[in-house]
């Protein structure tokens, strides 16, 4: 029973599944039929919608074109608006807000470029013309502003400000004068390489960027010539004023020739000082601001610098040229060397400052002045040597002391050795040989020329003893001065020793000439003595000897106490040398023949002096009469 029931149930389920599958197939067939119907309808709908789609695409394209046109119009309107704003700023001028004004000029240029690229735009030409007209007005206003700023802030520099920019060792207050030369001791001069120069403020730093921007705009607008004229006219005048305030003058050769030597020497000393200040402070400062204002415009920069400084440099160099071309004289040698020295010192700076082609004339002028100063100094050197040899002073120094020519020449030579480095450089300008040997040769020739002249002057004395004293004094002065100076190293020990012997020779000659005759009075020759005794000597002969001795000694004392030996050691040495021969001879004569007189009448008439008296009177020799009178 159970199985049949199960079979029935299974059959019922199979029938149910079959019915379900049948229904599903029917539904599927119906769906396929419906979907087919939809496909047919969609195809028809697509066909019906195609004209609408075409119209929609056209509308969308038209919309895109309208959008693009509106955007283009907006750009053009923006350019119009920017032009209008720029115009308003330009019409107000640059004084209120220069930065905004320069932005407006740049905007106008951008607008011109914009409309130049939009030639299809009907109004572009008129807009461009209007903008260019505004630009032209703007550049003219920029020129005025550049001129206003440059003029307003370009002031001549006061001398005190310039002196403050110098290192302490080169300031006028350091030496109490502005003199840069005149035979100073170069060994005490500080090395220029170790000192620092502080550039003066020629234009306030805050103004430089504004001038730079204005200059850039003017160059961009093609107004280089106007820029050049404004800058050079203003800065050249201010630089000249600074130099004139300092004391720089434009002098001709004739002006220099008419000056008293003391005046000219002072002006030369000042010129040396002014040259250093002008080049190292004013011209270097001028180059700095020129480089800053015209940065990036090399041709404008170099032309403006050349023109702004040309007149001032010419004024500075003209004085040096005038001195170098004026009549030569020995006293000018040292100032010529000072001038040559400062030009040599400044030469590297000058070559850097004026290195461009447009500055070539100034550079060459400075180089030529250096060469001319060297040539004039060299010629003056030769003149001096010749002048020493041929000095025709006929008036002898009455007391036989050191002649003014001797002291002048020796001081001259001492000063020469203050300029050793400069002289050696000078020699090399003309001769590539050993400059030290050349300096030694020159010194030797000058000394020989002096001695030759002194030999001639010594012959002016009528008293041959004074001739020898004069030569002794002068050669001794030369030797002593050489030994105490750097000339000793050049002339050498042999030269010194030879000339010391010459001094001694003249001293010996003086003793022989002046004292030989009086010493003859103290000998027994001619007294008719026979044998070794004194019995054959007449009292009268002894009296005559004492009288002759007294007269000659008194005459020598009167004359030679007016003579001078200025060197105390040499004076004492000469007195001692005379005393060493005179006093022993007198003592001997007095001891031997004195009793013959002392036993007679009036012995003091013949024996006037004791050896001590003579020694005391010898101490009055060579003091000069004027000195002796003051002493009493």
């Amino acid at each position: 029973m159970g199985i049949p029931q199960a079979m029935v149930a299974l059959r019922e389920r199979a029938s149910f599944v079959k019915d379900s599958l049948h229904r599903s197939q029917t539904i599927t067939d119906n769906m396929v039929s419906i979907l087919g119907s939809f496909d047919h309808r969609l195809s028809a709908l697509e066909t019906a919608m195609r004209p609408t789609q075409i119209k929609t695409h056209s509308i969308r394209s038209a919309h895109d074109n309208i959008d693009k046109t509106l955007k283009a119009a907006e750009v053009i309107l923006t350019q119009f608006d920017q032009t209008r704003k720029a115009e308003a700023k330009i019409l107000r001028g640059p004084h209120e807000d220069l930065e905004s004004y320069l932005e407006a000029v740049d905007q106008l240029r951008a607008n011109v470029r914009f409309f130049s690229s939009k030639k299809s735009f009907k109004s572009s030409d008129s807009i461009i013309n209007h903008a260019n007209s505004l630009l032209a007005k703007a550049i003219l206003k920029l020129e005025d502003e550049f001129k206003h700023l440059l003029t307003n802030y370009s002031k001549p520099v006061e001398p005190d400000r310039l002196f403050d920019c110098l290192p302490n060792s080169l300031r006028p207050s350091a030496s109490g004068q502005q003199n840069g030369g005149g035979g100073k001791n170069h060994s005490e001069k500080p090395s220029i390489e170790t000192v620092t120069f502080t550039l003066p403020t020629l234009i306030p730093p805050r103004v430089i960027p504004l001038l730079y921007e204005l200059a850039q705009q003017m160059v961009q607008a093609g107004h280089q010539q106007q820029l050049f004229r404004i800058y050079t006219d203003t800065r050249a005048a201010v630089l000249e004023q600074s130099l004139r305030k300092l004391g720089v003058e434009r002098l001709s050769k004739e002006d220099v020739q008419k000056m008293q030597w003391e005046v000219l020497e002072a002006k030369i000393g000042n010129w040396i000082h002014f040259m250093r200040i002008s080049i190292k402070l004013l011209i270097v400062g001028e180059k700095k601001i020129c480089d800053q204002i015209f940065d990036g415009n090399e041709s404008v920069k170099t032309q403006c610098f050349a023109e702004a400084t040309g007149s001032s440099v010419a004024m500075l160099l003209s004085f040096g040229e005038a001195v170098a071309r004026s009549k030569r004289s020995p006293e000018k040698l040292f100032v010529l060397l000072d001038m040559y020295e400062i030009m040599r010192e400044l030469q590297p700076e000058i070559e850097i400052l004026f290195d461009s082609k447009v500055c070539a004339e100034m550079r060459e002028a400075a180089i030529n002045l250096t060469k001319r100063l060297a040539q004039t100094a060299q010629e003056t050197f030769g003149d001096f040597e010749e002048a020493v040899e041929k000095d025709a002073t006929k008036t002898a120094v009455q007391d036989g002391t050191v002649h003014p020519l001797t002291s002048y020449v020796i001081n001259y030579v001492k000063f020469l050795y203050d300029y050793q480095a400069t002289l050696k450089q000078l020699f090399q300008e003309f001769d590539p040989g050993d400059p030290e040997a050349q300096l030694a040769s020159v010194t030797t020739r000058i000394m020989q020329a002096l001695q030759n002249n002194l030999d001639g002057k010594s012959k002016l004395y009528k008293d041959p003893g004074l001739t020898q004293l004069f030569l002794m004094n002068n050669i001794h002065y030369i030797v002593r001065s050489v030994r105490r100076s750097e000339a000793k190293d050049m002339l050498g020990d042999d030269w010194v020793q030879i000339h010391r012997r010459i001094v001694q020779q003249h001293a010996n000659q003086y003793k022989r000439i002046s004292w030989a005759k009086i010493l003859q009075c103290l000998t027994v020759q001619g007294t008719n003595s026979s044998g070794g005794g004194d019995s054959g000597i007449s009292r009268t002969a002894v009296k005559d000897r004492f009288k002759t001795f007294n007269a000659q000694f008194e005459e020598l004392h009167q004359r030679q106490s007016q003579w001078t030996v200025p060197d105390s050691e040499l004076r004492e040495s000469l007195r001692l040398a005379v005393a060493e021969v005179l006093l022993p001879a007198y003592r001997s004569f007095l001891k031997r023949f004195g009793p013959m007189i002392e036993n007679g009448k009036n012995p003091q008439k013949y024996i006037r002096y004791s050896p001590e008296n003579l020694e005391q009177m010898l101490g009055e020799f060579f003091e000069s009469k004027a000195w002796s009178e003051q002493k009493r």
Side-chain angles (χ1 to χ4, degrees):
M1 285 294 290
I3 294 174
Q5 290 178 346
M7 289 296 292
V8 172
L10 183 60
R11 189 178 296 113
E12 287 175 353
R13 287 183 180 179
S15 177
F16 176 76
V17 170
K18 182 177 178 183
D19 289 342
S20 297
L21 288 172
H22 180 71
R23 285 196 300 273
S24 175
Q25 183 64 44
T26 302
I27 291 168
T28 300
D29 291 340
N30 290 336
M31 285 299 295
V32 170
S33 175
I34 291 168
L35 288 172
S37 173
F38 272 129
D39 184 58
H40 176 71
R41 290 177 182 177
L42 286 171
S43 177
L45 180 61
E46 182 179 359
T47 300
M49 287 292 292
R50 188 170 290 116
T52 303
Q53 288 175 342
I54 291 171
K55 288 180 181 181
T56 301
H57 180 72
S58 298
I59 291 169
R60 186 178 292 111
S61 297
H63 183 272
D64 290 342
N65 288 334
I66 291 170
D67 188 51
K68 289 178 182 178
T69 302
L70 288 173
K71 287 181 179 178
E74 185 179 358
V75 171
I76 292 172
L77 289 172
T78 299
Q79 293 292 328
F80 272 119
D81 185 55
Q82 289 173 342
T83 301
R84 181 181 57 78
K85 290 179 180 178
E87 181 177 3
K89 289 179 182 178
I90 286 169
L91 292 176
R92 281 198 300 270
H95 295 299
E96 294 180 5
D97 186 353
L98 179 59
E99 185 177 356
S100 179
Y101 188 89
L102 293 174
E103 289 175 357
V105 171
D106 287 337
Q107 185 59 57
L108 272 181
R109 288 201 178 101
N111 292 347
V112 168
R113 289 193 297 271
F114 174 81
F115 285 109
S116 296
S117 66
K118 305 294 182 186
K119 289 297 184 181
S120 59
F121 185 61
K122 291 182 179 180
S123 301
S124 63
D125 288 341
S126 63
I127 293 169
I128 291 169
N129 291 337
H130 180 66
N132 282 329
S133 176
L134 276 175
L135 277 173
K137 291 178 182 178
I139 296 302
L140 289 176
K141 289 186 177 184
L142 288 179
E143 282 184 24
D144 291 339
E145 182 67 9
F146 184 84
K147 184 175 182 179
H148 168 74
L149 284 174
L150 190 65
T151 304
N152 196 45
Y153 289 103
S154 292
K155 303 297 179 185
V157 186
E158 295 297 327
D160 287 346
R161 278 184 56 209
L162 290 171
F163 297 152
D164 288 342
C165 294
L166 294 171
N168 290 332
S169 58
L170 294 175
R171 292 180 188 177
S173 57
S175 60
Q177 59 180 0
Q178 294 180 14
N179 197 328
K184 65 231 176 269
N185 189 341
H186 284 212
S187 63
E188 297 176 0
K189 177 181 173 182
S191 172
I192 294 300
E193 289 77 11
T194 62
V195 299
T196 302
F197 294 81
T198 306
L199 290 182
T201 301
L202 302 182
I203 294 177
R206 61 186 175 81
V207 181
I208 297 291
L210 301 177
L211 292 170
Y212 166 78
E213 292 293 342
L214 290 168
Q216 290 290 96
Q217 292 288 349
M218 291 172 69
V219 170
Q220 196 171 342
H223 285 226
Q224 289 95 328
Q225 284 304 312
Q226 294 89 325
L227 178 64
F228 172 79
R229 176 181 50 77
I230 293 169
Y231 186 86
T232 55
D233 287 352
T234 304
R235 291 306 306 167
V238 169
L239 181 56
E240 281 197 46
Q241 289 172 37
S242 296
L243 292 180
R244 292 191 187 281
K245 279 178 173 284
L246 191 61
V248 177
E249 302 173 272
R250 191 186 294 272
L251 297 172
S252 66
K253 182 177 74 172
E254 290 72 24
D255 295 329
V256 167
Q257 202 64 52
K258 292 175 186 175
M259 286 182 191
Q260 294 287 335
W261 166 241
E262 293 77 11
V263 175
L264 178 59
E265 185 179 28
K267 285 188 179 294
I268 291 172
N270 286 337
W271 178 84
I272 290 165
H273 197 61
F274 298 158
M275 278 297 297
R276 186 179 285 119
I277 289 175
S278 300
I279 298 298
K280 289 187 171 290
L281 298 181
L282 289 172
I283 305 295
V284 170
E286 198 66 44
K287 183 73 160 60
K288 180 181 177 181
I289 63 169
C290 203
D291 287 349
Q292 290 173 328
I293 292 172
F294 303 113
D295 185 33
N297 296 287
E298 195 64 31
S299 62
V300 176
K301 183 197 319 182
T302 54
Q303 287 176 356
C304 283
F305 174 71
E307 192 67 23
T309 58
S311 178
S312 292
V313 171
M315 182 166 67
L316 283 164
L317 298 182
S318 68
F319 178 79
E321 283 286 343
V323 174
R325 292 176 180 274
S326 64
K327 185 179 179 181
R328 299 193 302 271
S329 60
E331 65 270 14
K332 285 184 181 177
L333 176 60
F334 299 109
V335 293
L336 287 167
L337 291 175
D338 286 328
M339 295 170 76
Y340 172 74
E341 190 177 66
I342 191 64
M343 292 304 298
R344 288 282 309 174
E345 176 192 318
L346 297 175
Q347 199 67 46
E349 201 114 42
I350 288 171
E351 289 181 0
I352 293 171
L353 286 169
F354 305 116
D355 64 339
S356 64
K357 289 184 179 179
V358 292
C359 293
E361 187 176 342
M362 287 182 280
R363 186 173 65 251
E364 288 301 316
I367 292 171
N368 290 337
L369 174 57
T370 306
K371 291 179 179 178
R372 184 171 296 282
L373 288 167
Q375 181 181 352
T376 306
Q378 181 87 340
E379 291 168 354
T380 304
F381 225 148
D383 292 346
F384 176 70
E385 186 181 330
E386 184 178 351
V388 171
E389 180 99 41
K390 296 182 178 179
D391 179 72
T393 306
K394 295 298 183 183
T395 304
V397 286
Q398 296 300 316
D399 59 358
T401 189
V402 176
H403 197 279
L405 177 67
T406 304
S407 56
Y408 175 73
V409 172
I410 292 301
N411 286 334
Y412 203 91
V413 171
K414 285 180 180 177
F415 279 144
L416 285 179
Y417 280 86
D418 285 342
Y419 290 84
Q420 277 195 69
T422 305
L423 284 169
K424 290 173 184 177
Q425 182 65 52
L426 180 72
F427 292 144
Q428 289 185 313
E429 296 269 2
F430 306 97
D431 188 338
D434 180 6
E436 191 159 314
Q438 292 179 64
L439 182 56
S441 175
V442 166
T443 307
T444 303
R445 292 201 308 269
I446 291 174
M447 292 300 188
Q448 189 57 55
L450 175 59
Q451 290 178 68
N452 293 343
N453 190 283
L454 290 172
D455 284 340
K457 284 180 168 44
S458 71
K459 294 178 173 60
L460 297 173
Y461 294 105
K462 294 179 181 179
D463 189 321
L466 188 54
T467 294
Q468 298 303 318
L469 193 80
F470 170 79
L471 290 172
M472 179 197 72
N473 277 332
N474 282 270
I475 303 301
H476 178 268
Y477 180 84
I478 293 170
V479 173
R480 186 189 64 176
S481 299
V482 166
R483 288 177 65 194
R484 294 177 179 178
S485 74
E486 295 177 75
K488 179 179 181 293
D489 296 330
M490 291 293 174
L491 295 172
D493 289 331
D494 288 346
W495 186 95
V496 171
Q497 293 305 320
I498 289 169
H499 285 78
R500 288 182 71 180
R501 286 196 292 271
I502 292 173
V503 172
Q504 189 59 50
Q505 288 169 9
H506 287 303
N508 292 337
Q509 286 287 82
Y510 156 77
K511 284 192 300 180
R512 184 185 63 76
I513 292 169
S514 291
W515 295 94
K517 187 177 178 181
I518 195 172
L519 287 171
Q520 285 294 322
C521 298
L522 303 176
T523 64
V524 295
Q525 294 177 4
T527 56
N528 298 321
S529 62
S530 59
D534 302 331
S535 57
I537 302 174
S538 69
R539 184 183 299 233
T540 301
V542 171
K543 286 181 179 180
D544 287 342
R545 289 294 180 94
F546 273 110
K547 284 173 67 176
T548 302
F549 174 83
N550 293 338
Q552 289 185 4
F553 183 79
E554 286 166 3
E555 191 272 335
L556 281 173
H557 177 267
Q558 183 181 7
R559 193 154 31 92
Q560 295 196 18
S561 63
Q562 298 179 49
W563 296 358
T564 301
V565 177
D567 183 82
S568 60
E569 288 186 11
L570 182 61
R571 184 169 61 246
E572 289 304 317
S573 173
L574 195 60
R575 287 170 179 168
L576 182 60
V578 172
E580 283 176 347
V581 295
L582 178 66
L583 295 180
Y586 186 75
R587 284 192 182 97
S588 176
F589 190 82
L590 183 62
K591 181 179 180 180
R592 187 173 183 182
F593 299 106
M596 294 176 64
I597 305 301
E598 289 169 353
N599 294 329
K601 293 181 180 179
N602 301 319
Q604 67 275 8
K605 180 180 178 181
Y606 304 101
I607 305 176
R608 293 183 183 177
Y609 304 106
S610 68
E612 290 74 24
N613 294 144
L614 291 182
E615 187 173 10
Q616 182 181 2
M617 292 178 73
L618 282 176
E620 296 174 357
F621 277 57
F622 319 127
E623 294 281 4
S624 84
K625 183 178 180 181
W627 187 94
S628 183
E629 288 174 351
Q630 291 172 8
K631 183 178 177 182
R632 292 192 182 96

